[in-house]
Amino acid sequence: MKITLTTQPKQKPDFSKLGFGKYFTDHMLVMDYENGAWKEPEIVPYAPFAIAPATNILHYAQGIFEGAKAYKTKEGKITVFRIDDNFTRMNKSATRLCMPNFDAKVVKDALFELIKMEKDWIPTEPGTALYIRPTLIANEEVLGVHASKKYRFFIILSPVGSYYAHGLQPTKILVEEQLVRASIGGTGEAKCMGNYAASLMGGEIANSKGFDQALWLDSSEHKYVEEVGSMNMFFVIGDEVVTPALVGSILDGITRRSCIQVLKKYGYKISERRISMDEIVDAYDKGLLKESFGSGTAAVISPVGTISYKGKDMVINGGKMGEITSFLYDKITGIQSERYEDEFGWVTEIK
Ligand code: COI
């Protein structure tokens, strides 16, 4: 693989004050697609690249991405979490967006080289990681609305802390009652850029009212919980942990999958099913809504302290992180940092 080293290594940020996605490492991976084939991946200095103003990613949003994380353990081992699942999902998203699939093995090997080069950028403070952002964009200079014939795949790396500025403090979520993020048959299940653009207005409205995020409901009845946009959702109702079923408009989150697997293995009652806001309000009124949390690569496991729906603020577990949420946070971050045994085979060491 061709590697071009930067001549101007950057000064590293203060790893105890990272926030999310604000700093980028010295190098990135690029791989272009042209004439029906992928070229070799290359590592180049992290820098802006030129895109023609007519390029179709800029006009028609034919673009997808992923989010994964790398860690440095206490013993100095470099690891990644469930990275194969990311590349499998990315190829699925690519298919939905009429983009060419790539060889996950080639990309993974190149990514591992990149991470090894950038090992000093992996933060080790609790709650931090090196965020991996694989991205695939249409790169043909043409204005006709059709699938591009040229693509650019790239991976950038960013040392990150907590996704939310308030860290593990429970989030406040506003149920969005009018706008929709995705509909069945649309692209909601793909990790495509347009889904995030569609979610911005709901997010801004929620922020302007003092909430962290908007909670999306289904597009046809405005009744069933979907996801938050940056997180899948879980609710603990009585002794049942419920997460919305993957009906086609919800992201098949890798952290969501991890939560389900851990809960199943440890004997919790976990259901993937449709869950309506009426059911959640009813459970809250009866004192049965014990906990709620979101899951995501960036958000990890984030407790939800308040859900606001139709003007009613439901404060969950006294606005504090609940027992099952804490258990999952501890278990999953413990496996990621090798505090716990990797009993599910999710961690790969980069050697
Ligand atoms: C992730 O959790 O990695 C995501 O992609 C969600 C968001 C930051 C866009």
Side-chain angles (χ1 to χ4, degrees):
M1 179 171 51
K2 188 171 168 209
I3 297 177
T4 310
L5 293 179
T6 183
T7 52
Q8 291 168 316
K10 290 182 249 187
Q11 198 177 341
K12 300 200 178 43
D14 178 347
F15 283 170
S16 66
K17 295 195 185 96
L18 287 170
F20 182 81
K22 295 184 195 157
Y23 307 100
F24 301 96
T25 68
D26 287 321
H27 300 90
M28 62 182 183
L29 187 86
V30 292
M31 184 173 80
D32 290 321
Y33 180 93
E34 228 178 313
N35 301 321
W38 285 105
K39 297 186 179 168
E40 288 288 304
E42 261 187 60
I43 291 175
V44 296
Y46 174 95
F49 48 76
I51 290 189
T55 304
N56 41 16
I57 177 66
L58 300 178
H59 299 267
Y60 309 126
Q62 195 192 3
I64 58 172
F65 68 95
E66 274 299 319
K69 279 178 176 168
Y71 305 86
K72 200 186 277 171
T73 67
K74 267 208 189 91
E75 295 75 38
K77 277 203 266 173
I78 301 169
T79 61
V80 281
F81 185 73
R82 304 196 75 162
I83 194 73
D84 293 325
D85 291 5
N86 284 98
F87 290 134
T88 302
R89 184 173 66 183
M90 194 169 186
N91 269 328
K92 215 172 145 199
S93 299
T95 301
R96 178 61 182 86
L97 271 282
C98 302
M99 306 171 99
N101 278 214
F102 54 86
D103 184 333
K105 168 91 173 71
V106 169
V107 169
K108 187 168 85 169
D109 289 349
L111 168 66
F112 284 8
E113 281 312 308
L114 176 66
I115 293 174
K116 278 194 276 184
M117 279 171 62
E118 307 290 58
K119 63 179 187 315
D120 294 341
W121 284 88
I122 309 176
T124 52
E125 280 77 355
T128 64
L130 186 69
Y131 187 74
I132 303 166
R133 175 51 70 88
T135 310
L136 174 56
I137 58 171
N139 197 18
E140 187 182 351
E141 192 177 2
V142 65
L143 289 180
V145 182
H146 54 72
S148 176
K149 292 189 177 60
K150 284 173 72 177
Y151 295 89
R152 167 156 281 205
F153 181 104
F154 59 93
I155 303 181
I156 53 175
L157 305 175
S158 172
V160 296
S162 178
Y163 185 68
Y164 295 106
H166 52 65
L168 271 183
Q169 281 291 104
T171 50
K172 290 181 73 185
I173 283 179
L174 177 66
V175 180
E176 174 52 58
E177 291 166 45
Q178 271 157 21
L179 305 172
V180 292
R181 170 190 169 272
S183 55
I184 309 261
T187 57
E189 196 178 38
K191 205 161 171 63
C192 70
M193 296 172 182
N195 292 342
Y196 294 82
S199 76
L200 294 179
M201 187 182 247
E204 290 295 307
I205 293 170
N207 293 161
S208 72
K209 295 183 177 170
F211 293 88
D212 296 297
Q213 298 264 324
L215 173 59
W216 299 102
L217 301 181
D218 74 286
S219 63
S220 51
E221 294 179 75
H222 274 263
K223 216 171 143 180
Y224 296 98
V225 173
E226 299 242 304
E227 58 161 87
V228 149
S230 54
M231 308 193 291
N232 291 110
M233 288 296 293
F234 287 80
F235 305 89
V236 182
I237 299 181
D239 68 348
E240 183 192 17
V241 187
V242 186
T243 190
L246 302 176
V247 290
S249 49
I250 299 172
L251 185 80
D252 178 4
I254 293 165
T255 313
R256 173 187 180 278
R257 267 184 237 164
S258 307
C259 291
I260 294 170
Q261 281 175 260
V262 168
L263 291 169
K264 275 191 181 150
K265 178 152 187 195
Y266 283 84
Y268 290 90
K269 185 173 166 199
I270 160 81
S271 317
E272 295 178 72
R273 62 172 174 84
R274 299 213 89 182
I275 176 161
S276 68
M277 276 314 300
D278 287 348
E279 181 182 343
I280 290 170
V281 172
D282 186 54
Y284 179 77
D285 289 341
K286 291 181 174 144
L288 292 172
L289 181 60
K290 306 283 185 206
E291 297 180 43
S292 175
F293 59 91
S295 68
T297 298
V300 195
I301 309 290
S302 283
V304 174
T306 305
I307 299 178
S308 182
Y309 180 56
K310 294 192 174 163
K312 170 174 168 150
D313 279 359
M314 295 181 280
V315 178
I316 303 161
N317 192 40
K320 294 198 294 289
M321 188 162 180
E323 219 173 275
I324 296 178
T325 312
S326 304
F327 164 69
L328 281 171
Y329 179 84
D330 180 60
K331 190 66 166 169
I332 290 176
T333 59
I335 291 174
Q336 288 166 339
S337 63
E338 297 210 324
R339 266 188 295 119
Y340 294 139
E341 181 206 339
D342 178 21
E343 57 194 292
F344 299 92
W346 288 335
V347 175
T348 308
E349 184 181 353
I350 302 180
K351 289 186 178 149

